[in-house]
Amino acid sequence: MVARDFDPIPSTRQRVRVEVTTLKQAADEAAAIAVPVAADNEPPDELGTDLAGLKSAGFTGERGQTLVLPRADGPVRVAVGIGGGVVDLTLVRDLAADFARAVPWHRKLAIEVADFGVPVADFAQAVTEGVLLARWRYFLGRDAEQPTLESLQLVASDQDTAEAEAGAERGRIVAAACSLGRDLANCPATTLSAARMADVAVEVGAAAGLEVEVFDKDELIAMGCGGLLGVNRGSVEPPRMVRLRYSPAEPTGRTTFVGKGVMYDSGGISLKPSDESHAQMKNDMTGAAAVLASMSALRDLGCTTAVTGYLMCTDNMPSGSAMKLGDVLTMRNGTTVEVLNTDAEGRLVMADALALATEEPVDAIVDIATLTGACLRTFGVEIAGVMGNDPRVVEQLRQAGEVVDEPVWELPLLRSYRSQLDSAIADLTNMGGVNAGSITAGLFLEEFVDGRPWAHVDIAGTAQLPAPRTWRNKGATGFGTKLLIEFALRFARPGTS
């Protein structure tokens, strides 16, 4: 019996009121108002103090500094340091998050649209994302249903109101999608089984205008998806493959997203050690969460790219029926794979979906997965790895990551390492040598894209943070949702950009 004690997507049930308003209305209604202060500059009069007063409290206006100043005649003012350099959208998003975290008990916040030299709509979007994502939480204890935020008011002039409203709405949509991705990645694995993930996809897809198809174990057997089925052998929970379709009226391009959905990864027979990283393995479906969450926002953001998404969902568990080392699996495209490590399971489940993606017209394929510890050791928790067979697709991902502050860094798909995947009894193995693990994993996945333009995003490091930082949360981060949204919105067919 699957435990369903908890709602797997609680934060998306709570709607925060986001509106553009006047300073007077904000002063009457908000509990806290942000006031930006440049380094070593006199603050605005509305702060109610001068530079000397701020410095006496240890506040100089450097980036990341905040100072809460109570007032007897209205909402508290929060001095937010902006530093002395150029202010870009990444900094705006971070400053908004810093403000939201500085007053954790205040549920009605206001921020003035400042003249930082960035477009008003973009400023409003970044502020909205920063505040809403900083106030996101996934909590299952007492008072779990109490909202962490009730309203966000953006104060704008009459001439900027329309742009600010449009930007704030886009920020709300993106933040809601990112919150969905976080909810799913943080949900306990016992609650969020593969079957339950498929149920959530049906629910979310219906609300987002997506076509949703769910494939059960019998259908997967008939389709020859040996990778997903092989990994599922050890689990009492049945597997699910979910195919999502977003179809705009006049598509300007076609791309496919493939997400690793290992709902819990014990390592299988190649059992992981019982340590903190093992305890985090409920997040091994972050790639699938990012695909579902990103696609939930495409219609409302007016995306013109047609997107197909695959969620490859199963547990990876040890049992008497589990996949064994030395087993040979036959994948969807007929490729045989000798299993040398059952903890290299993500590439197996995704290989079937990559093969399926090539069976339809597609301009580019992007897969996203918590795939290799090697990527975590290379980049840490701040940046994801990317590699692919088409530099134009990789570059579009890099640019998207820069815009939304989910950065990726390219690793070389060095094909001289392909020999590490040679098998004496099958077409290839699922594991390379002890070195270059991220690259050999990418080379394995490339075997299934049939030459289509393709890129692979390894989020093993960025899927989990040890502590909150600006708009990023502690725990499973849902990294990849904003990246995929931006990629789809800006996608250009390779050769046309």
Side-chain angles (χ1 to χ4, degrees):
M1 176 72 69
V2 176
R4 298 195 180 181
D5 304 345
F6 311 123
D7 181 356
I9 50 174
S11 76
T12 62
R13 315 293 188 193
Q14 298 179 356
R15 175 112 178 179
V16 177
R17 177 168 59 91
V18 180
E19 65 177 345
V20 178
T21 185
T22 65
L23 184 58
K24 181 181 184 308
Q25 183 178 346
D28 289 341
E29 298 179 3
I33 298 177
V35 180
V37 179
D40 294 320
N41 282 17
E42 286 293 339
D45 292 340
E46 65 194 85
L47 201 57
T49 187
D50 58 11
L51 180 61
L54 292 175
K55 286 189 172 181
S56 69
F59 181 91
T60 62
E62 295 300 323
R63 294 184 180 186
Q65 286 188 320
T66 56
L67 180 65
V68 179
L69 298 168
R71 292 169 63 108
D73 58 347
V76 301
R77 263 53 173 188
V78 181
V80 181
I82 64 174
V86 175
V87 176
D88 59 14
L89 290 175
T90 294
L91 180 58
V92 170
R93 192 182 293 111
D94 288 352
L95 295 176
D98 290 339
F99 162 57
R101 292 193 189 280
V103 284
W105 302 112
H106 294 74
R107 296 180 180 175
K108 297 180 179 180
L109 306 183
I111 297 180
E112 190 167 358
V113 176
D115 184 11
F116 288 150
V118 299
V120 170
D122 292 344
F123 180 95
Q125 178 176 345
V127 162
T128 304
E129 288 180 21
V131 170
L132 297 187
L133 292 176
R135 282 298 184 90
W136 171 93
R137 73 168 182 172
Y138 190 97
F139 184 66
L140 303 174
R142 294 185 179 90
D143 299 323
E145 295 184 2
Q146 291 297 316
T148 61
L149 184 67
E150 295 178 12
S151 67
L152 170 63
Q153 294 175 306
L154 281 78
V155 178
S157 64
D158 290 343
Q159 69 222 40
D160 290 337
T161 296
E163 288 186 62
E165 287 177 341
E169 178 61 7
R170 290 176 68 84
R172 186 196 64 76
I173 293 166
V174 171
C178 193
S179 296
L180 169 61
R182 289 178 174 183
D183 281 2
L184 292 170
N186 280 278
C187 188
T190 303
T191 295
L192 191 61
S193 64
R196 183 68 177 119
M197 181 73 167
D199 292 342
V200 172
V202 170
E203 175 190 342
V204 170
L210 305 176
E211 177 189 341
V212 184
E213 300 171 273
V214 177
F215 300 86
D216 63 18
K217 184 174 181 178
D218 289 341
E219 291 169 305
L220 291 166
I221 291 171
M223 296 170 69
C225 292
L228 183 56
L229 291 164
V231 175
N232 180 252
R233 283 184 200 164
S235 179
V236 297
E237 296 289 348
R240 291 291 187 270
M241 182 178 78
V242 181
R243 181 162 58 200
L244 310 164
R245 295 190 192 276
Y246 167 71
S247 304
E250 298 181 2
T252 55
R254 298 182 184 277
T255 188
T256 296
F257 295 156
V258 172
K260 175 185 174 183
V262 176
M263 313 309 294
Y264 183 78
D265 180 21
S266 71
I269 297 297
S270 304
L271 192 66
K272 294 179 183 290
S274 184
D275 59 13
E276 184 179 3
S277 66
H278 192 161
Q280 297 169 357
M281 282 300 103
K282 67 180 183 180
N283 80 4
D284 211 25
M285 39 63 68
T286 299
V291 171
L292 173 59
S294 64
M295 293 185 66
S296 74
L298 298 182
R299 179 194 61 189
D300 291 345
L301 293 174
C303 180
T304 60
T305 303
V307 181
T308 298
Y310 286 93
L311 318 180
M312 307 302 287
C313 300
T314 179
D315 291 320
N316 182 27
M317 299 292 288
S319 73
S321 60
M323 180 173 63
K324 305 172 183 64
L325 278 70
D327 283 356
V328 175
L329 307 178
T330 302
M331 319 303 280
R332 165 69 183 184
N333 68 352
T335 299
T336 55
V337 177
E338 181 186 8
V339 177
L340 298 185
N341 188 325
T342 64
D343 196 26
E345 85 299 333
R347 65 201 71 182
L348 298 174
V349 304
M350 297 207 305
D352 288 327
L354 291 172
L356 283 164
T358 68
E359 296 173 15
E360 299 179 334
V362 66
D363 298 314
I365 301 169
V366 175
D367 75 70
I368 184 166
T370 47
L371 206 63
T372 66
C375 197
L376 166 63
R377 288 186 286 275
T378 300
F379 293 126
V381 299
E382 298 282 339
I383 190 167
V386 65
M387 63 197 81
N389 64 5
D390 192 307
R392 296 162 297 185
V393 178
V394 171
E395 177 59 17
Q396 288 187 55
L397 282 165
R398 189 200 64 76
Q399 291 177 3
E402 185 175 327
V403 169
V404 302
D405 199 17
E406 288 192 337
V408 299
W409 194 275
E410 186 176 7
L411 288 167
L413 200 65
L414 197 61
R415 290 181 175 84
S416 60
Y417 292 168
R418 169 59 182 80
S419 61
Q420 295 183 35
L421 300 173
D422 287 344
S423 167
I425 64 170
D427 292 316
L428 69 162
T429 68
N430 77 325
M431 195 73 179
V434 295
N435 298 316
S438 298
I439 296 173
T440 55
L443 289 166
F444 178 93
L445 295 173
E446 188 186 24
E447 294 286 318
F448 299 89
V449 300
D450 196 28
R452 304 299 197 280
W454 155 80
H456 157 61
V457 183
D458 191 332
I459 56 173
T462 55
Q464 190 88 15
L465 276 183
R469 189 176 70 79
T470 62
W471 56 271
R472 298 162 181 82
N473 60 293
K474 178 181 178 179
T477 63
F479 184 103
T481 297
K482 296 207 301 171
L483 175 70
L484 293 180
I485 289 173
E486 190 68 19
F487 176 84
L489 292 175
R490 293 170 175 253
F491 178 68
R493 293 186 179 100
T496 64
S497 57

